[in-house]
Amino acid sequence: MQNPFQYGKVVSDAYFTDREEEFASIVAEVKNRHNLVMYSPRRYGKTSLLLKITQEMKARGWNVIYLDFYRVTSLHAFIEIYAREVFYQSDNKWKSGLKKIASLVKGIHPVVSIDSLGNPAFSISFDPVADLPQTLESVLNLTEVLNSKQKWLVIFDEFQEITKLNGMGFDNHLRSVIQHHQKSSYIFSGSRYHMLMELFNQPKKAFYRFGKMMHLDKIPVELMKAFLIERFASTGIKLGEDIAQAIIDRADNIPNYVQFIAAETWQLVWLNKSSLSLELVDQAVQTVLDNQKDYFMQIWDTLSIQQKKTLVALSKDNSNPYSLDYQKLHNLGATSTIQGAIKRLIADEIIVFDNDVYLFSDPLFKLFIQLRIVALRRFT
Ligand SMILES: Nc1ncnc2c1ncn2[C@@H]1O[C@H](COP(=O)(O)OP(=O)(O)O)[C@@H](O)[C@H]1O
Ligand SMILES: [Mg+2]
C-alpha cells in the first residue's frame, strides 16, 4: 500500500487539496492579462498551485512557460532555458519551431538532437560577439511574435533569485521588454518576502507595481483536517478529528509539514500495525527528529547565544518579541539586540515573518528546540 501523503515535492491530484479560491482568481487575472506576484514562505504550496494553473491554462489552449529561477545562474543560462521552454511548446511541429526561434533570436544557434527514445533535445550555442541584452530582448519577445493568435502564460518561480543576477541589470532589461507585451501574462512567484517587496514595491525598482500582489495563505485548518481524514480513510484507516488536529498543530499547519508528519504517522500505523493515538503522533515526530538530529544540531551550532536565546523564546511564544514583558520574561536583553538576532535568523531562513507573526520556517526545528534542546537545557 502506498503512503497516502507526499511532501518535499510538487503535489497534485489526490495529494492536493483546496486552493479553490486562489485558483479561480489566478485564472481570472491571467485571462485578463494582468501580471501577478504570488508570495508565501517556502513549502506552503506555491509550485503545486502553479502546476495546477499550468494544466488549466494548457487545457484552455494557452502555451505555458514555467521557469524556476533557482536554475538560472547567469544571463546565458536564462536565455538558454527560456528558449528551450518556448521550443517545447511547439510539440510535434518542432522543426518549424526550431527554425522560427533561430530566425527570431539574434546571437544564438539553437540545435536539436534526437535522444535514444526519439525525443528532441534542445540546446543553444552563443555567438561569441552576441549583444546579450539584444539576445535577451528577442528571446523574451518570442511569446509575442511566434504566432499572432497564441496566448501565453509565463511563470517565474522563486523570482527573488533574480537579485543574484542584478550586477547585469537583468531586472531592468526584463521589465523594459515584457511591459510592452500584449499576448503574454506573467506570474512572479517567490518565497522571500523582503526581497519581493524590494523588487515590486519600491518606486526606484524596475518592477515597481508591475503586478497585483497576492499572498498565499496556509490552507484553512478545517479543510486540512478533512484532507487528513479523507487520505487516511482512502487506506481504510479511521482518523479522529483530535488526532488530525494534533498533526496540524505540530506542523504549524504548514502544508508540507502536515503531510510529512501525517506520512510518518500513517507509516507507524500501517507497517507496525500500531493503533492510532495521540501518542503515536508524538512517536512519529520523535522518529523524524531522530532522523534529522545531526542536521538540526549542525544548524544550532552555527548560531550565536543571542540567536539561540531568541529561538528558544520564539519556540515557546511568538506573540510579540519586541514587547518589554516578553524581553523580561525570556531574559533577552535590549530590543535592538533582539532585532539584530531576528534579522539574522530571517536572513538565514530559520525564521519567516508571515501574516504579522514570526514563524519557524521548519516547525520540526522548533520541535527539536523544544524537545531536545530546552528539555535538556543545552542552550547556554
Ligand atoms: N494544495 C495542497 N494540498 C495539500 N498539500 C499541499 C498542497 N500544496 C502543497 N502541499 C504540501 O506542501 C509541499 C510543498 O509544496 P510546494 O508546492 O513545493 O510548496 P512551495 O512551492 O510553496 O515551496 C508538498 O509536497 C505537499 O506536501
Ligand atoms: Mg516552490
Side-chain angles (χ1 to χ4, degrees):
M1 175 75 71
Q2 206 178 335
N3 198 308
F5 299 101
Q6 285 186 344
Y7 53 92
K9 56 174 161 187
V10 174
V11 289
S12 58
D13 304 320
Y15 302 96
F16 182 101
T17 189
D18 187 37
R19 298 304 190 202
E20 280 164 28
E21 278 172 35
E22 295 91 340
F23 176 79
S25 89
I26 294 173
V27 169
E29 297 286 350
V30 169
K31 275 170 45 195
N32 289 326
R33 307 294 198 288
H34 293 158
N35 301 320
L36 263 182
V37 183
M38 180 164 79
Y39 158 76
S40 85
R42 283 184 207 292
R43 308 201 173 89
Y44 274 42
K46 293 179 296 301
T47 306
S48 302
L49 179 55
L50 291 172
L51 176 73
K52 199 171 156 144
I53 299 284
T54 299
Q55 290 163 344
E56 173 71 15
M57 296 318 292
K58 284 192 170 169
R60 289 169 184 251
W62 288 53
N63 280 347
V64 183
I65 293 178
Y66 171 84
L67 196 149
D68 181 350
F69 260 80
Y70 271 116
R71 289 169 60 210
V72 178
T73 47
S74 66
L75 199 46
H76 285 88
F78 177 85
I79 291 168
E80 172 147 24
I81 296 170
Y82 199 90
R84 180 184 299 133
E85 291 301 319
V86 172
F87 171 77
Y88 284 140
Q89 302 296 313
S90 53
D91 296 331
N92 49 4
K93 295 171 291 213
W94 66 265
K95 279 189 184 141
S96 62
L98 179 70
K99 261 195 201 151
K100 276 193 188 161
I101 292 174
S103 70
L104 289 167
V105 185
K106 309 272 171 286
I108 62 167
H109 306 284
V111 282
V112 169
S113 52
I114 305 295
D115 68 15
S116 54
L117 297 170
N119 300 316
F122 178 93
S123 63
I124 64 177
S125 58
F126 284 86
D127 234 332
V129 290
D131 173 15
L132 268 194
Q134 204 196 350
T135 305
L136 175 66
E137 184 175 336
S138 52
V139 87
L140 287 168
N141 281 333
L142 280 173
T143 56
E144 293 286 300
V145 298
L146 263 179
N147 173 343
S148 61
K149 292 198 201 73
Q150 183 62 49
K151 298 168 191 160
W152 292 78
L153 166 62
V154 180
I155 299 172
F156 292 132
D157 204 357
E158 300 295 355
F159 184 67
Q160 75 278 337
E161 298 303 304
I162 195 177
T163 52
K164 287 191 190 144
L165 308 169
N166 266 359
M168 305 157 216
F170 188 21
D171 53 349
N172 287 316
H173 284 308
L174 190 59
R175 157 94 202 222
S176 65
V177 178
I178 66 182
Q179 67 182 348
H180 301 294
H181 285 183
Q182 307 285 329
K183 299 188 189 97
S184 324
S185 301
Y186 293 85
I187 299 178
F188 306 86
S189 176
S191 52
R192 307 284 312 255
Y193 182 70
H194 250 77
M195 290 178 169
L196 284 176
M197 280 297 153
E198 282 198 4
L199 280 165
F200 289 97
N201 270 358
Q202 287 205 352
K204 279 195 217 127
K205 287 294 164 96
F207 281 95
Y208 182 55
R209 298 210 171 136
F210 195 61
K212 185 169 161 179
M213 303 290 283
M214 176 184 155
H215 179 275
L216 187 68
D217 279 316
K218 294 174 180 174
I219 292 167
V221 171
E222 286 311 310
L223 295 180
M224 206 42 142
K225 260 197 233 168
F227 170 72
L228 292 179
I229 292 168
E230 180 275 315
R231 292 309 287 153
F232 267 92
S234 75
T235 63
I237 299 168
K238 187 171 165 12
L239 179 76
E241 287 234 359
D242 53 337
I243 298 179
Q245 182 72 52
I247 292 173
I248 291 168
D249 288 344
R250 279 155 188 71
D252 284 341
N253 196 22
I254 298 175
N256 181 75
Y257 296 97
V258 173
Q259 293 225 40
F260 191 175
I261 296 173
E264 289 293 327
T265 308
W266 183 89
Q267 182 106 342
L268 290 176
V269 178
W270 189 261
L271 293 182
N272 303 358
K273 308 281 175 242
S274 318
S275 55
L276 205 41
S277 64
L278 288 173
E279 290 71 37
L280 200 74
V281 176
D282 286 323
Q283 197 187 324
V285 167
Q286 294 291 355
T287 310
V288 176
L289 295 185
D290 280 340
N291 291 336
Q292 304 208 357
K293 65 175 187 294
D294 293 345
Y295 167 66
F296 286 152
M297 210 56 218
Q298 222 176 344
I299 299 176
W300 185 251
D301 283 340
T302 63
L303 302 172
S304 69
I305 288 289
Q306 184 64 35
Q307 286 175 316
K308 287 178 180 171
K309 278 162 79 175
T310 307
L311 279 182
V312 167
L314 287 173
S315 77
K316 295 177 189 156
D317 161 14
N318 63 352
S319 55
N320 185 3
Y322 297 130
S323 75
L324 279 180
D325 286 350
Y326 191 95
Q327 289 159 18
K328 267 195 212 135
L329 185 66
H330 298 287
N331 185 25
L332 284 180
T335 304
S336 60
T337 324
I338 304 168
Q339 273 169 342
I342 289 185
K343 207 172 154 197
R344 271 295 305 278
L345 291 166
I346 289 176
D348 292 343
E349 289 196 72
I350 293 170
I351 293 291
V352 286
F353 188 62
D354 189 45
N355 271 339
D356 296 329
V357 285
Y358 292 100
L359 287 178
F360 279 75
S361 41
D362 183 344
L364 294 164
F365 189 51
K366 179 173 94 175
L367 291 169
F368 173 80
I369 291 173
Q370 286 174 347
L371 301 172
R372 304 271 168 107
I373 300 281
V374 178
L376 303 173
R377 295 181 179 281
R378 286 176 65 171
F379 66 96
T380 44

